[in-house]
Amino acid sequence: IDTDSSADDETKRKEQQQDQQQQFIVEEYDEYEEKIDISFTIEEEEEEGQKTDTSFTIEEKHNIIWLILGLMCFKFSFESLGASISLFILSRIHPSEAISTLALLLILYGLSQSIGSMMVSQLTRSFSPSRIISFFMCLFAAMAIIYILLEALSGGTLSHPGRWNPYLVFPIYICMGGCLGAMELIKRIIPGNIVGFNADKLRRMDALVHIFYEVAGTAGAIASTPLVKYFGSVYATLLIPPLFILGSFFYSRIRCILLVPRNEEQTNITDPTSLNTSPPKKIIKMILKGIKNYIKSLKMGAKIVFFFSSSLFYLASFRLRSSVSSSQID
C-alpha cells in the first residue's frame, strides 16, 4: 500500500511539474508576444514619425517658382550658343583649319567648365548659392554682349559678316565655359537648400522642375534653327543677354540656407546681416584653392590611368568618344 501511495505521489508530482512547465511556457510565449506587439507598435510609430509632411510651405513654393523661371530663361536661350559658335568657326576660318580649331575650342571649353566648377566650390562656404549663380549668369551675359558687339562694331550685319579676328572668340567662349561650370554646380546645390534636404520633397521638386527644364530646352533647340538661319552665327545669340539677366534676377529672389561646415550652425540667408562678407583677398584665395584642388585631381587621375594596368581601358573609351564626335562633325 505504501508503494502504491508513493507511486501515486510521484505521478502527481510529475504531473504538477509538467503543468508548471506548460504554464511557464505559456506565460513566456505571452510575454514574447507582447514584446513583439510593442516592437511593432514602436516601429509603426517611428515610421509614422519618419513620414514627414511632403507638402511645400509658402516660402518653398515661392522659391521653386523663382527656380523654375530662372532655369527656363537659362535653358531656352543657351540652346542657340553651341550652334552659333560652331557655325562661326566653320564659316570664318579657312576650311583647312576650321575643324581642328573647333575641336581645340571645344576641348578648352570643356576644361574651363571643370575649372569653373572646382573654383566655385570654395565660394559656397561664404556666399549664398543663389547670389553666386546670379553673378555668373550676369558674367555670362556680359561675354555674350562682347561677342555681339565685336560683330556689330566691325561692320557685321545680318547678311554680311564682320571684319574682326575670329580667334578672339577663344577667350570669350572659354570664359563662358567657366561660368557654365560654376552654374551647373550651383544648380545642383540650390534644390537641397530650398526644401531642407527632405528626400520626399526633393523627389517631388526635381520631377516638377525637370518637366519645365526639358520643355524650355526643347523649345530653345527648336527656336535655335530659325535664329541661326535668319540672324546669322553671331546675332543668333541675341536672346542670351536679356534672358540671362532676367534669369539672374529670378535666382536672386531665392532665399536658401548658407552652406557651412557641419560643426557650425546653418545660417538663414533671408537675413542679409547673417551672410559673411569676405574681403577680396579671401575670395581670391578661395578661387586659387579651387584651381589648386583641380590640378591635384588631374595629377591623381593621371596616376590612376597611366600607372595601373587595370585602368588603361579609360584611354580607349575617351578615344572612341572623341572619334564618334569628330565623325558627327564631319
Side-chain angles (χ1 to χ4, degrees):
I1 295 170
D2 294 336
T3 305
D4 292 338
S5 62
S6 63
D8 292 339
D9 293 338
E10 186 70 24
T11 304
K12 288 180 180 178
R13 190 167 57 254
K14 285 182 179 179
E15 288 178 354
Q16 288 177 356
Q17 287 178 355
Q18 288 179 356
D19 292 339
Q20 288 177 357
Q21 287 179 356
Q22 288 179 357
Q23 188 176 1
F24 177 75
I25 291 171
V26 170
E27 290 176 355
E28 208 173 37
Y29 179 76
D30 291 337
E31 287 180 3
Y32 178 71
E33 216 171 22
E34 287 177 3
K35 288 180 181 179
I36 291 176
D37 292 337
I38 291 170
S39 64
F40 274 123
T41 54
I42 290 172
E43 287 179 0
E44 288 175 359
E45 288 176 359
E46 288 179 352
E47 287 179 358
E48 289 177 359
Q50 289 176 357
K51 290 179 182 178
T52 55
D53 187 16
T54 57
S55 59
F56 298 114
T57 63
I58 299 297
E59 185 178 0
E60 288 171 351
K61 288 179 181 178
H62 289 168
N63 287 334
I64 292 171
I65 291 172
W66 294 125
L67 177 63
I68 290 173
L69 291 174
L71 280 174
M72 291 184 73
C73 290
F74 163 80
K75 190 63 176 175
F76 180 81
S77 57
F78 179 75
E79 289 295 327
S80 62
L81 180 65
S84 170
I85 295 295
S86 299
L87 182 60
F88 176 83
I89 294 295
L90 295 174
S91 60
R92 300 292 178 92
I93 296 178
H94 194 273
S96 61
E97 301 177 357
I99 297 296
S100 58
T101 304
L102 179 59
L104 177 61
L105 180 60
L106 293 178
I107 290 170
L108 294 175
Y109 178 69
L111 185 64
S112 64
Q113 287 186 43
S114 302
I115 295 174
S117 61
M118 293 293 292
M119 175 184 66
V120 79
S121 63
Q122 300 298 321
L123 296 177
T124 56
R125 297 176 180 271
S126 300
F127 297 96
S128 166
S130 59
R131 293 186 182 183
I132 294 173
I133 195 170
S134 297
F135 168 76
F136 280 103
M137 286 193 77
C138 288
L139 184 58
F140 196 104
M143 292 298 105
I145 291 172
I146 293 172
Y147 178 56
I148 295 169
L149 284 177
L150 285 173
E151 179 75 4
L153 295 177
S154 60
T157 61
L158 298 180
S159 56
H160 299 285
R163 298 177 182 178
W164 58 285
N165 190 346
Y167 289 97
L168 290 175
V169 79
F170 271 77
I172 296 173
Y173 200 49
I174 289 171
C175 186
M176 286 181 173
C179 295
L180 181 63
M183 289 187 291
E184 290 293 339
L185 178 67
I186 298 299
K187 280 196 300 182
R188 288 168 174 79
I189 295 175
I190 288 179
N193 285 267
I194 290 177
V195 297
F197 299 99
N198 185 312
D200 295 329
K201 285 186 177 182
L202 275 174
R203 280 193 291 269
R204 287 186 59 202
M205 178 181 169
D206 287 340
L208 179 64
V209 171
H210 189 71
I211 292 171
F212 289 97
Y213 184 76
E214 292 300 327
V215 168
T218 304
I222 295 172
S224 64
T225 301
L227 282 174
V228 173
K229 182 178 179 181
Y230 293 108
F231 292 99
S233 59
V234 178
Y235 293 116
T237 59
L238 279 170
L239 289 178
I240 291 179
L243 287 180
F244 265 62
I245 293 173
L246 184 61
S248 172
F249 168 75
F250 290 145
Y251 275 117
S252 67
R253 303 294 298 172
I254 297 174
R255 296 291 177 265
C256 54
I257 297 171
L258 179 63
L259 296 178
V260 294
R262 291 183 179 179
N263 57 355
E264 298 179 11
E265 295 181 354
Q266 291 181 335
T267 306
N268 196 342
I269 297 303
T270 54
D271 182 11
T273 60
S274 64
L275 187 64
N276 295 333
T277 55
S278 300
K281 289 184 179 179
K282 187 177 179 181
I283 296 173
I284 294 171
K285 284 182 180 180
M286 288 190 292
I287 293 173
L288 292 177
K289 186 178 179 181
I291 296 173
K292 183 181 177 181
N293 290 336
Y294 176 73
I295 295 172
K296 286 174 68 175
S297 66
L298 285 181
K299 289 181 180 179
M300 188 178 295
K303 287 180 181 179
I304 292 172
V305 171
F306 292 108
F307 292 98
F308 293 94
S309 58
S310 60
S311 304
L312 287 175
F313 72 93
Y314 288 140
L315 293 175
S317 64
F318 283 120
R319 179 59 187 166
L320 178 63
R321 181 181 177 184
S322 62
S323 299
V324 171
S325 301
S326 61
S327 64
Q328 288 177 352
I329 293 173
D330 293 338

